[in-house]
Short mmCIF file of all heavy atoms in Angstrom, two decimals:
data_model
loop_
_atom_site.label_atom_id
_atom_site.label_comp_id
_atom_site.label_asym_id
_atom_site.label_seq_id
_atom_site.Cartn_x
_atom_site.Cartn_y
_atom_site.Cartn_z
N SER Y 310 -54.37 -20.11 -36.03
CA SER Y 310 -54.77 -19.33 -37.19
C SER Y 310 -53.58 -18.80 -37.98
O SER Y 310 -53.66 -18.61 -39.19
CB SER Y 310 -55.66 -18.15 -36.75
OG SER Y 310 -54.97 -17.35 -35.79
N THR Y 311 -52.46 -18.57 -37.28
CA THR Y 311 -51.27 -18.02 -37.94
C THR Y 311 -50.05 -18.81 -37.50
O THR Y 311 -49.79 -18.96 -36.31
CB THR Y 311 -51.07 -16.54 -37.57
OG1 THR Y 311 -52.25 -15.82 -37.91
CG2 THR Y 311 -49.88 -15.97 -38.32
N ALA Y 312 -49.29 -19.30 -38.48
CA ALA Y 312 -48.07 -20.05 -38.19
C ALA Y 312 -46.86 -19.13 -38.29
O ALA Y 312 -46.69 -18.44 -39.30
CB ALA Y 312 -47.94 -21.21 -39.15
N THR Y 313 -46.05 -19.08 -37.26
CA THR Y 313 -44.85 -18.24 -37.26
C THR Y 313 -43.81 -18.86 -36.34
O THR Y 313 -44.16 -19.49 -35.34
CB THR Y 313 -45.17 -16.81 -36.79
OG1 THR Y 313 -43.94 -16.09 -36.65
CG2 THR Y 313 -45.90 -16.81 -35.46
N ARG Y 314 -42.56 -18.67 -36.69
CA ARG Y 314 -41.47 -19.19 -35.86
C ARG Y 314 -41.11 -18.22 -34.74
O ARG Y 314 -40.23 -18.51 -33.93
CB ARG Y 314 -40.24 -19.45 -36.73
CG ARG Y 314 -40.44 -20.57 -37.75
CD ARG Y 314 -39.16 -20.87 -38.51
NE ARG Y 314 -39.33 -21.95 -39.46
CZ ARG Y 314 -38.37 -22.43 -40.24
NH1 ARG Y 314 -37.15 -21.90 -40.17
NH2 ARG Y 314 -38.61 -23.41 -41.09
N LEU Y 315 -41.75 -17.10 -34.69
CA LEU Y 315 -41.46 -16.11 -33.66
C LEU Y 315 -42.27 -16.31 -32.40
O LEU Y 315 -42.02 -15.67 -31.38
CB LEU Y 315 -41.72 -14.69 -34.22
CG LEU Y 315 -40.90 -14.29 -35.44
CD1 LEU Y 315 -41.30 -12.89 -35.89
CD2 LEU Y 315 -39.41 -14.35 -35.14
N ARG Y 316 -43.24 -17.21 -32.46
CA ARG Y 316 -44.10 -17.44 -31.31
C ARG Y 316 -44.32 -18.93 -31.10
O ARG Y 316 -44.32 -19.71 -32.06
CB ARG Y 316 -45.46 -16.75 -31.50
CG ARG Y 316 -45.38 -15.27 -31.74
CD ARG Y 316 -46.75 -14.66 -31.98
NE ARG Y 316 -47.54 -14.67 -30.75
CZ ARG Y 316 -47.42 -13.74 -29.79
NH1 ARG Y 316 -46.56 -12.76 -29.94
NH2 ARG Y 316 -48.16 -13.79 -28.71
N TYR Y 317 -44.46 -19.32 -29.84
CA TYR Y 317 -44.83 -20.70 -29.53
C TYR Y 317 -46.31 -20.89 -29.83
O TYR Y 317 -47.13 -20.05 -29.46
CB TYR Y 317 -44.58 -21.01 -28.05
CG TYR Y 317 -43.13 -20.94 -27.62
CD1 TYR Y 317 -42.69 -19.94 -26.75
CD2 TYR Y 317 -42.21 -21.88 -28.06
CE1 TYR Y 317 -41.36 -19.88 -26.35
CE2 TYR Y 317 -40.88 -21.83 -27.65
CZ TYR Y 317 -40.46 -20.82 -26.80
OH TYR Y 317 -39.16 -20.77 -26.40
N SER Y 318 -46.66 -21.99 -30.47
CA SER Y 318 -48.07 -22.27 -30.71
C SER Y 318 -48.73 -22.85 -29.47
O SER Y 318 -49.94 -22.72 -29.28
CB SER Y 318 -48.23 -23.24 -31.89
OG SER Y 318 -47.51 -24.44 -31.65
N ALA Y 319 -47.93 -23.48 -28.62
CA ALA Y 319 -48.44 -24.04 -27.36
C ALA Y 319 -47.59 -23.54 -26.20
O ALA Y 319 -46.37 -23.39 -26.32
CB ALA Y 319 -48.42 -25.56 -27.40
N LEU Y 320 -48.22 -23.26 -25.09
CA LEU Y 320 -47.55 -22.74 -23.90
C LEU Y 320 -47.64 -23.74 -22.77
O LEU Y 320 -48.58 -24.55 -22.70
CB LEU Y 320 -48.18 -21.42 -23.47
CG LEU Y 320 -48.37 -20.37 -24.56
CD1 LEU Y 320 -49.05 -19.14 -23.97
CD2 LEU Y 320 -47.04 -19.99 -25.20
N LYS Y 321 -46.67 -23.69 -21.86
CA LYS Y 321 -46.70 -24.56 -20.68
C LYS Y 321 -47.28 -23.79 -19.50
O LYS Y 321 -46.69 -22.82 -19.04
CB LYS Y 321 -45.29 -25.05 -20.34
CG LYS Y 321 -44.73 -26.08 -21.29
CD LYS Y 321 -43.45 -26.68 -20.75
CE LYS Y 321 -43.70 -27.48 -19.49
NZ LYS Y 321 -42.47 -28.13 -18.98
N GLY Y 322 -48.43 -24.23 -19.05
CA GLY Y 322 -49.06 -23.61 -17.90
C GLY Y 322 -49.05 -24.56 -16.71
O GLY Y 322 -49.39 -25.74 -16.85
N LEU Y 323 -48.61 -24.09 -15.57
CA LEU Y 323 -48.61 -24.93 -14.37
C LEU Y 323 -50.04 -25.28 -14.00
O LEU Y 323 -50.90 -24.41 -13.92
CB LEU Y 323 -47.91 -24.21 -13.22
CG LEU Y 323 -46.42 -23.92 -13.42
CD1 LEU Y 323 -45.88 -23.08 -12.25
CD2 LEU Y 323 -45.63 -25.22 -13.54
N SER Y 324 -50.28 -26.56 -13.77
CA SER Y 324 -51.61 -27.02 -13.37
C SER Y 324 -51.64 -27.39 -11.90
O SER Y 324 -52.68 -27.25 -11.23
CB SER Y 324 -52.06 -28.20 -14.22
OG SER Y 324 -51.11 -29.25 -14.17
#
Side-chain angles (χ1 to χ4, degrees):
S310 56
T311 304
T313 173
R314 294 184 179 181
L315 300 178
R316 303 178 70 82
Y317 296 112
S318 57
L320 311 178
K321 287 190 66 177
L323 295 175
S324 56

